[in-house]
Amino acid sequence: MKKDNPLRQTLTLVKKDLTLELRQQYAFYGVLLYIVATVFVINLMMGRPDDKVWNALFWVIQLFVAVNAVAKSFMQENRGRLLYFYSIVNSRVFIAAKLIYNTILMALMSIIALICAVAFLGNPILHPAYFIGMVLLGGTSLSLLFTMLAAIAAQANHNAALMAVMGFPLIMPVLMLLANISLSAFVTVYQPELPRMFLLLGGMDILVIALTMILFPFLWKD
């Protein structure tokens, strides 16, 4: 793999992760069970909630989907395998592949969560195309953030508590932005603050990617 260019190395690692996921499928079915069970229980307890509650519940579900689907990406890599990758690829190539793979996985899980939410909790969405775009964008933001946190936790002997402590203050602004931006899918009135919120969310995603690319090589050496 050393002779390949970085782009080809990255795509090869993404393909490797996708192949492992298709072979094992434990995480996929586990998250799928969590989504269906959670939405079904909410339906039994609340019926069909109003727009704001529906939106809030959906993003809370998305948060736990990200924790279960994305955060385990480094937990499944044992130390021997990491040493092997350390010897054949650059650290930034490795983390870029993880970011891409987790984004793909989270996009799939987000669409499944949306389908389940609409099926069990009703469909109060007035602008479905806009909300689907927000679901994909929000899934990307959550996957990027939790990939960075999982990488840090993995280098601290897979300390899940560390990821939870670091993740709480980082995830709250992202969730608040996603919930506020996605509210436009439930109303017909234009929100004047919408462009600024999109810029904030995009800026946070770029910042997370930049920090991951800068910090991970130092973690990789340890």
Side-chain angles (χ1 to χ4, degrees):
M1 194 179 287
K2 274 189 171 181
K3 296 181 180 179
D4 294 335
N5 58 51
L7 178 59
R8 184 172 297 178
Q9 289 180 340
T10 302
L11 294 177
T12 301
L13 290 175
V14 172
K15 183 179 178 182
K16 181 268 298 181
D17 285 331
L18 290 173
T19 302
L20 287 176
E21 190 66 44
L22 290 174
R23 286 180 180 175
Q24 298 174 353
Q25 298 182 351
Y26 301 121
F28 177 81
Y29 287 117
V31 175
L32 182 62
L33 175 62
Y34 167 81
I35 294 172
V36 175
T38 302
V39 176
F40 182 69
V41 170
I42 292 173
N43 175 262
L44 292 179
M45 297 179 66
M46 300 183 61
R48 299 199 169 191
D50 59 34
D51 299 355
K52 289 186 177 181
V53 175
W54 194 100
N55 185 49
L57 288 173
F58 178 79
W59 289 110
V60 170
I61 292 171
Q62 283 287 83
L63 170 62
F64 286 99
V65 169
V67 172
N68 286 279
V70 176
K72 57 86 185 174
S73 59
F74 279 88
M75 303 302 175
Q76 65 185 6
E77 303 284 5
N78 58 49
R79 197 158 190 84
R81 189 182 296 174
L82 288 175
L83 286 172
Y84 171 70
F85 288 131
Y86 179 82
S87 66
I88 62 173
V89 297
N90 184 272
S91 58
R92 289 188 175 90
V93 169
F94 182 80
I95 194 61
K98 287 292 185 184
L99 290 170
I100 295 171
Y101 164 74
N102 286 335
T103 299
I104 295 171
L105 180 63
M106 190 61 194
L108 176 62
M109 294 297 180
S110 298
I111 294 300
I112 293 175
L114 177 59
I115 293 171
C116 292
V118 170
F120 287 101
L121 304 179
N123 183 17
I125 304 169
L126 297 178
H127 307 287
Y130 174 85
F131 192 77
I132 291 173
M134 274 308 307
V135 168
L136 295 175
L137 180 61
T140 299
S141 299
L142 293 174
S143 69
L144 294 175
L145 182 56
F146 276 104
T147 300
M148 180 184 73
L149 294 174
I152 296 173
Q155 298 304 315
N157 297 322
H158 298 290
N159 192 337
L162 178 64
M163 186 175 67
V165 171
M166 292 188 305
F168 181 78
L170 296 175
I171 202 63
M172 294 312 296
V174 175
L175 278 181
M176 291 176 64
L177 276 174
L178 290 172
N180 288 328
I181 294 173
S182 59
L183 276 177
S184 295
F186 300 88
V187 298
T188 56
V189 180
Y190 173 72
Q191 292 180 294
E193 294 294 321
L194 204 57
R196 188 171 68 89
M197 289 190 288
F198 269 111
L199 287 175
L200 283 173
L201 184 62
M204 292 178 71
D205 289 345
I206 293 172
L207 181 61
V208 169
I209 295 173
L211 285 175
T212 304
M213 290 298 180
I214 293 172
L215 294 176
F216 187 74
F218 296 99
L219 297 173
W220 187 251
K221 291 178 182 179
D222 295 333

PDB file of all heavy atoms in Angstrom, residues 156-183:
ATOM      1  N   ALA A 156      -6.484   6.222  24.610  1.00  0.00           N
ATOM      2  CA  ALA A 156      -6.456   6.226  26.081  1.00  0.00           C
ATOM      3  C   ALA A 156      -6.994   4.902  26.600  1.00  0.00           C
ATOM      4  O   ALA A 156      -7.849   4.849  27.491  1.00  0.00           O
ATOM      5  CB  ALA A 156      -7.278   7.390  26.619  1.00  0.00           C
ATOM      6  N   ASN A 157      -6.522   3.818  26.009  1.00  0.00           N
ATOM      7  CA  ASN A 157      -6.905   2.455  26.391  1.00  0.00           C
ATOM      8  C   ASN A 157      -8.408   2.222  26.256  1.00  0.00           C
ATOM      9  O   ASN A 157      -9.041   1.594  27.113  1.00  0.00           O
ATOM     10  CB  ASN A 157      -6.450   2.154  27.827  1.00  0.00           C
ATOM     11  CG  ASN A 157      -4.948   2.186  27.972  1.00  0.00           C
ATOM     12  OD1 ASN A 157      -4.223   1.743  27.088  1.00  0.00           O
ATOM     13  ND2 ASN A 157      -4.470   2.740  29.081  1.00  0.00           N
ATOM     14  N   HIS A 158      -8.974   2.777  25.172  1.00  0.00           N
ATOM     15  CA  HIS A 158     -10.401   2.600  24.870  1.00  0.00           C
ATOM     16  C   HIS A 158     -11.285   3.032  26.043  1.00  0.00           C
ATOM     17  O   HIS A 158     -12.235   2.333  26.421  1.00  0.00           O
ATOM     18  CB  HIS A 158     -10.698   1.142  24.508  1.00  0.00           C
ATOM     19  CG  HIS A 158      -9.967   0.671  23.287  1.00  0.00           C
ATOM     20  ND1 HIS A 158     -10.274   1.115  22.017  1.00  0.00           N
ATOM     21  CD2 HIS A 158      -8.924  -0.178  23.137  1.00  0.00           C
ATOM     22  CE1 HIS A 158      -9.468   0.532  21.146  1.00  0.00           C
ATOM     23  NE2 HIS A 158      -8.632  -0.243  21.798  1.00  0.00           N
ATOM     24  N   ASN A 159     -10.969   4.171  26.602  1.00  0.00           N
ATOM     25  CA  ASN A 159     -11.711   4.698  27.746  1.00  0.00           C
ATOM     26  C   ASN A 159     -12.993   5.372  27.268  1.00  0.00           C
ATOM     27  O   ASN A 159     -12.985   6.509  26.810  1.00  0.00           O
ATOM     28  CB  ASN A 159     -10.831   5.697  28.514  1.00  0.00           C
ATOM     29  CG  ASN A 159     -11.418   6.053  29.862  1.00  0.00           C
ATOM     30  OD1 ASN A 159     -12.615   5.927  30.085  1.00  0.00           O
ATOM     31  ND2 ASN A 159     -10.558   6.477  30.777  1.00  0.00           N
ATOM     32  N   ALA A 160     -14.114   4.660  27.367  1.00  0.00           N
ATOM     33  CA  ALA A 160     -15.391   5.199  26.907  1.00  0.00           C
ATOM     34  C   ALA A 160     -15.850   6.369  27.761  1.00  0.00           C
ATOM     35  O   ALA A 160     -16.523   7.286  27.268  1.00  0.00           O
ATOM     36  CB  ALA A 160     -16.454   4.102  26.912  1.00  0.00           C
ATOM     37  N   ALA A 161     -15.488   6.348  29.055  1.00  0.00           N
ATOM     38  CA  ALA A 161     -15.870   7.459  29.931  1.00  0.00           C
ATOM     39  C   ALA A 161     -15.222   8.762  29.469  1.00  0.00           C
ATOM     40  O   ALA A 161     -15.841   9.833  29.543  1.00  0.00           O
ATOM     41  CB  ALA A 161     -15.470   7.147  31.368  1.00  0.00           C
ATOM     42  N   LEU A 162     -13.985   8.681  28.971  1.00  0.00           N
ATOM     43  CA  LEU A 162     -13.301   9.865  28.468  1.00  0.00           C
ATOM     44  C   LEU A 162     -14.056  10.465  27.291  1.00  0.00           C
ATOM     45  O   LEU A 162     -14.206  11.685  27.183  1.00  0.00           O
ATOM     46  CB  LEU A 162     -11.866   9.501  28.066  1.00  0.00           C
ATOM     47  CG  LEU A 162     -11.015  10.631  27.479  1.00  0.00           C
ATOM     48  CD1 LEU A 162     -10.796  11.725  28.513  1.00  0.00           C
ATOM     49  CD2 LEU A 162      -9.670  10.088  27.002  1.00  0.00           C
ATOM     50  N   MET A 163     -14.550   9.618  26.407  1.00  0.00           N
ATOM     51  CA  MET A 163     -15.302  10.100  25.255  1.00  0.00           C
ATOM     52  C   MET A 163     -16.592  10.778  25.687  1.00  0.00           C
ATOM     53  O   MET A 163     -17.000  11.799  25.127  1.00  0.00           O
ATOM     54  CB  MET A 163     -15.605   8.939  24.306  1.00  0.00           C
ATOM     55  CG  MET A 163     -16.264   9.373  23.009  1.00  0.00           C
ATOM     56  SD  MET A 163     -16.470   8.008  21.852  1.00  0.00           S
ATOM     57  CE  MET A 163     -17.667   7.018  22.737  1.00  0.00           C
ATOM     58  N   ALA A 164     -17.250  10.224  26.708  1.00  0.00           N
ATOM     59  CA  ALA A 164     -18.496  10.814  27.195  1.00  0.00           C
ATOM     60  C   ALA A 164     -18.249  12.179  27.829  1.00  0.00           C
ATOM     61  O   ALA A 164     -19.005  13.131  27.598  1.00  0.00           O
ATOM     62  CB  ALA A 164     -19.150   9.874  28.204  1.00  0.00           C
ATOM     63  N   VAL A 165     -17.176  12.281  28.622  1.00  0.00           N
ATOM     64  CA  VAL A 165     -16.870  13.552  29.290  1.00  0.00           C
ATOM     65  C   VAL A 165     -16.500  14.623  28.277  1.00  0.00           C
ATOM     66  O   VAL A 165     -16.959  15.774  28.358  1.00  0.00           O
ATOM     67  CB  VAL A 165     -15.731  13.347  30.314  1.00  0.00           C
ATOM     68  CG1 VAL A 165     -15.251  14.691  30.859  1.00  0.00           C
ATOM     69  CG2 VAL A 165     -16.194  12.458  31.453  1.00  0.00           C
ATOM     70  N   MET A 166     -15.678  14.284  27.300  1.00  0.00           N
ATOM     71  CA  MET A 166     -15.289  15.256  26.280  1.00  0.00           C
ATOM     72  C   MET A 166     -16.433  15.577  25.324  1.00  0.00           C
ATOM     73  O   MET A 166     -16.558  16.705  24.844  1.00  0.00           O
ATOM     74  CB  MET A 166     -14.093  14.721  25.472  1.00  0.00           C
ATOM     75  CG  MET A 166     -12.808  14.617  26.233  1.00  0.00           C
ATOM     76  SD  MET A 166     -11.435  14.203  25.127  1.00  0.00           S
ATOM     77  CE  MET A 166     -12.048  12.706  24.362  1.00  0.00           C
ATOM     78  N   GLY A 167     -17.273  14.569  25.065  1.00  0.00           N
ATOM     79  CA  GLY A 167     -18.303  14.747  24.057  1.00  0.00           C
ATOM     80  C   GLY A 167     -19.449  15.629  24.481  1.00  0.00           C
ATOM     81  O   GLY A 167     -20.032  16.333  23.647  1.00  0.00           O
ATOM     82  N   PHE A 168     -19.778  15.646  25.782  1.00  0.00           N
ATOM     83  CA  PHE A 168     -20.954  16.402  26.219  1.00  0.00           C
ATOM     84  C   PHE A 168     -20.877  17.890  25.880  1.00  0.00           C
ATOM     85  O   PHE A 168     -21.812  18.425  25.266  1.00  0.00           O
ATOM     86  CB  PHE A 168     -21.170  16.203  27.723  1.00  0.00           C
ATOM     87  CG  PHE A 168     -22.385  16.924  28.242  1.00  0.00           C
ATOM     88  CD1 PHE A 168     -23.655  16.412  28.031  1.00  0.00           C
ATOM     89  CD2 PHE A 168     -22.254  18.122  28.927  1.00  0.00           C
ATOM     90  CE1 PHE A 168     -24.783  17.076  28.496  1.00  0.00           C
ATOM     91  CE2 PHE A 168     -23.372  18.795  29.396  1.00  0.00           C
ATOM     92  CZ  PHE A 168     -24.634  18.267  29.174  1.00  0.00           C
ATOM     93  N   PRO A 169     -19.797  18.600  26.251  1.00  0.00           N
ATOM     94  CA  PRO A 169     -19.766  20.040  25.905  1.00  0.00           C
ATOM     95  C   PRO A 169     -19.603  20.308  24.415  1.00  0.00           C
ATOM     96  O   PRO A 169     -19.930  21.399  23.939  1.00  0.00           O
ATOM     97  CB  PRO A 169     -18.552  20.561  26.682  1.00  0.00           C
ATOM     98  CG  PRO A 169     -17.680  19.375  26.884  1.00  0.00           C
ATOM     99  CD  PRO A 169     -18.605  18.206  27.020  1.00  0.00           C
ATOM    100  N   LEU A 170     -19.101  19.337  23.654  1.00  0.00           N
ATOM    101  CA  LEU A 170     -18.909  19.536  22.215  1.00  0.00           C
ATOM    102  C   LEU A 170     -20.175  19.247  21.419  1.00  0.00           C
ATOM    103  O   LEU A 170     -20.449  19.913  20.408  1.00  0.00           O
ATOM    104  CB  LEU A 170     -17.768  18.639  21.713  1.00  0.00           C
ATOM    105  CG  LEU A 170     -16.376  18.925  22.269  1.00  0.00           C
ATOM    106  CD1 LEU A 170     -15.379  17.881  21.776  1.00  0.00           C
ATOM    107  CD2 LEU A 170     -15.905  20.322  21.858  1.00  0.00           C
ATOM    108  N   ILE A 171     -20.940  18.267  21.871  1.00  0.00           N
ATOM    109  CA  ILE A 171     -22.098  17.846  21.090  1.00  0.00           C
ATOM    110  C   ILE A 171     -23.304  18.746  21.293  1.00  0.00           C
ATOM    111  O   ILE A 171     -24.164  18.863  20.404  1.00  0.00           O
ATOM    112  CB  ILE A 171     -22.456  16.378  21.427  1.00  0.00           C
ATOM    113  CG1 ILE A 171     -23.274  15.743  20.305  1.00  0.00           C
ATOM    114  CG2 ILE A 171     -23.216  16.300  22.738  1.00  0.00           C
ATOM    115  CD1 ILE A 171     -22.556  15.637  19.003  1.00  0.00           C
ATOM    116  N   MET A 172     -23.398  19.415  22.447  1.00  0.00           N
ATOM    117  CA  MET A 172     -24.581  20.231  22.720  1.00  0.00           C
ATOM    118  C   MET A 172     -24.772  21.371  21.714  1.00  0.00           C
ATOM    119  O   MET A 172     -25.888  21.580  21.210  1.00  0.00           O
ATOM    120  CB  MET A 172     -24.528  20.771  24.155  1.00  0.00           C
ATOM    121  CG  MET A 172     -24.624  19.694  25.231  1.00  0.00           C
ATOM    122  SD  MET A 172     -25.981  18.520  24.941  1.00  0.00           S
ATOM    123  CE  MET A 172     -27.395  19.600  25.087  1.00  0.00           C
ATOM    124  N   PRO A 173     -23.723  22.159  21.386  1.00  0.00           N
ATOM    125  CA  PRO A 173     -23.927  23.213  20.370  1.00  0.00           C
ATOM    126  C   PRO A 173     -24.343  22.659  19.011  1.00  0.00           C
ATOM    127  O   PRO A 173     -25.173  23.261  18.319  1.00  0.00           O
ATOM    128  CB  PRO A 173     -22.555  23.906  20.289  1.00  0.00           C
ATOM    129  CG  PRO A 173     -21.861  23.556  21.548  1.00  0.00           C
ATOM    130  CD  PRO A 173     -22.361  22.199  21.925  1.00  0.00           C
ATOM    131  N   VAL A 174     -23.786  21.512  18.639  1.00  0.00           N
ATOM    132  CA  VAL A 174     -24.135  20.909  17.353  1.00  0.00           C
ATOM    133  C   VAL A 174     -25.599  20.486  17.342  1.00  0.00           C
ATOM    134  O   VAL A 174     -26.340  20.755  16.388  1.00  0.00           O
ATOM    135  CB  VAL A 174     -23.220  19.705  17.051  1.00  0.00           C
ATOM    136  CG1 VAL A 174     -23.651  19.002  15.766  1.00  0.00           C
ATOM    137  CG2 VAL A 174     -21.767  20.152  16.944  1.00  0.00           C
ATOM    138  N   LEU A 175     -26.042  19.828  18.412  1.00  0.00           N
ATOM    139  CA  LEU A 175     -27.438  19.386  18.476  1.00  0.00           C
ATOM    140  C   LEU A 175     -28.400  20.569  18.480  1.00  0.00           C
ATOM    141  O   LEU A 175     -29.457  20.525  17.842  1.00  0.00           O
ATOM    142  CB  LEU A 175     -27.653  18.540  19.736  1.00  0.00           C
ATOM    143  CG  LEU A 175     -27.254  17.068  19.663  1.00  0.00           C
ATOM    144  CD1 LEU A 175     -27.552  16.386  20.988  1.00  0.00           C
ATOM    145  CD2 LEU A 175     -27.966  16.356  18.532  1.00  0.00           C
ATOM    146  N   MET A 176     -28.051  21.633  19.194  1.00  0.00           N
ATOM    147  CA  MET A 176     -28.919  22.811  19.231  1.00  0.00           C
ATOM    148  C   MET A 176     -29.029  23.453  17.853  1.00  0.00           C
ATOM    149  O   MET A 176     -30.113  23.857  17.418  1.00  0.00           O
ATOM    150  CB  MET A 176     -28.385  23.812  20.259  1.00  0.00           C
ATOM    151  CG  MET A 176     -28.523  23.350  21.702  1.00  0.00           C
ATOM    152  SD  MET A 176     -27.779  24.498  22.878  1.00  0.00           S
ATOM    153  CE  MET A 176     -28.813  25.943  22.633  1.00  0.00           C
ATOM    154  N   LEU A 177     -27.909  23.528  17.145  1.00  0.00           N
ATOM    155  CA  LEU A 177     -27.937  24.080  15.789  1.00  0.00           C
ATOM    156  C   LEU A 177     -28.776  23.223  14.857  1.00  0.00           C
ATOM    157  O   LEU A 177     -29.601  23.730  14.088  1.00  0.00           O
ATOM    158  CB  LEU A 177     -26.511  24.207  15.247  1.00  0.00           C
ATOM    159  CG  LEU A 177     -25.721  25.463  15.614  1.00  0.00           C
ATOM    160  CD1 LEU A 177     -24.284  25.335  15.123  1.00  0.00           C
ATOM    161  CD2 LEU A 177     -26.368  26.699  15.017  1.00  0.00           C
ATOM    162  N   LEU A 178     -28.582  21.906  14.918  1.00  0.00           N
ATOM    163  CA  LEU A 178     -29.332  21.008  14.047  1.00  0.00           C
ATOM    164  C   LEU A 178     -30.833  21.086  14.317  1.00  0.00           C
ATOM    165  O   LEU A 178     -31.641  21.124  13.391  1.00  0.00           O
ATOM    166  CB  LEU A 178     -28.842  19.566  14.240  1.00  0.00           C
ATOM    167  CG  LEU A 178     -27.437  19.261  13.721  1.00  0.00           C
ATOM    168  CD1 LEU A 178     -27.002  17.863  14.140  1.00  0.00           C
ATOM    169  CD2 LEU A 178     -27.384  19.391  12.208  1.00  0.00           C
ATOM    170  N   ALA A 179     -31.199  21.125  15.603  1.00  0.00           N
ATOM    171  CA  ALA A 179     -32.617  21.198  15.947  1.00  0.00           C
ATOM    172  C   ALA A 179     -33.235  22.508  15.468  1.00  0.00           C
ATOM    173  O   ALA A 179     -34.359  22.525  14.939  1.00  0.00           O
ATOM    174  CB  ALA A 179     -32.793  21.044  17.463  1.00  0.00           C
ATOM    175  N   ASN A 180     -32.510  23.609  15.633  1.00  0.00           N
ATOM    176  CA  ASN A 180     -33.037  24.914  15.218  1.00  0.00           C
ATOM    177  C   ASN A 180     -33.129  25.041  13.699  1.00  0.00           C
ATOM    178  O   ASN A 180     -34.094  25.579  13.163  1.00  0.00           O
ATOM    179  CB  ASN A 180     -32.165  26.035  15.785  1.00  0.00           C
ATOM    180  CG  ASN A 180     -32.337  26.208  17.275  1.00  0.00           C
ATOM    181  OD1 ASN A 180     -33.415  25.971  17.810  1.00  0.00           O
ATOM    182  ND2 ASN A 180     -31.283  26.622  17.965  1.00  0.00           N
ATOM    183  N   ILE A 181     -32.109  24.546  12.997  1.00  0.00           N
ATOM    184  CA  ILE A 181     -32.128  24.641  11.534  1.00  0.00           C
ATOM    185  C   ILE A 181     -33.232  23.761  10.943  1.00  0.00           C
ATOM    186  O   ILE A 181     -33.938  24.165  10.017  1.00  0.00           O
ATOM    187  CB  ILE A 181     -30.752  24.232  10.955  1.00  0.00           C
ATOM    188  CG1 ILE A 181     -29.674  25.240  11.368  1.00  0.00           C
ATOM    189  CG2 ILE A 181     -30.808  24.159   9.431  1.00  0.00           C
ATOM    190  CD1 ILE A 181     -28.261  24.827  10.972  1.00  0.00           C
ATOM    191  N   SER A 182     -33.390  22.567  11.497  1.00  0.00           N
ATOM    192  CA  SER A 182     -34.372  21.640  10.932  1.00  0.00           C
ATOM    193  C   SER A 182     -35.810  22.056  11.213  1.00  0.00           C
ATOM    194  O   SER A 182     -36.742  21.541  10.577  1.00  0.00           O
ATOM    195  CB  SER A 182     -34.132  20.229  11.472  1.00  0.00           C
ATOM    196  OG  SER A 182     -34.224  20.203  12.879  1.00  0.00           O
ATOM    197  N   LEU A 183     -36.039  22.989  12.147  1.00  0.00           N
ATOM    198  CA  LEU A 183     -37.396  23.467  12.413  1.00  0.00           C
ATOM    199  C   LEU A 183     -38.038  24.113  11.189  1.00  0.00           C
ATOM    200  O   LEU A 183     -39.267  24.144  11.066  1.00  0.00           O
ATOM    201  CB  LEU A 183     -37.390  24.471  13.570  1.00  0.00           C
ATOM    202  CG  LEU A 183     -37.434  23.900  14.990  1.00  0.00           C
ATOM    203  CD1 LEU A 183     -37.350  25.020  16.012  1.00  0.00           C
ATOM    204  CD2 LEU A 183     -38.697  23.070  15.204  1.00  0.00           C
TER     205      LEU A 183
END
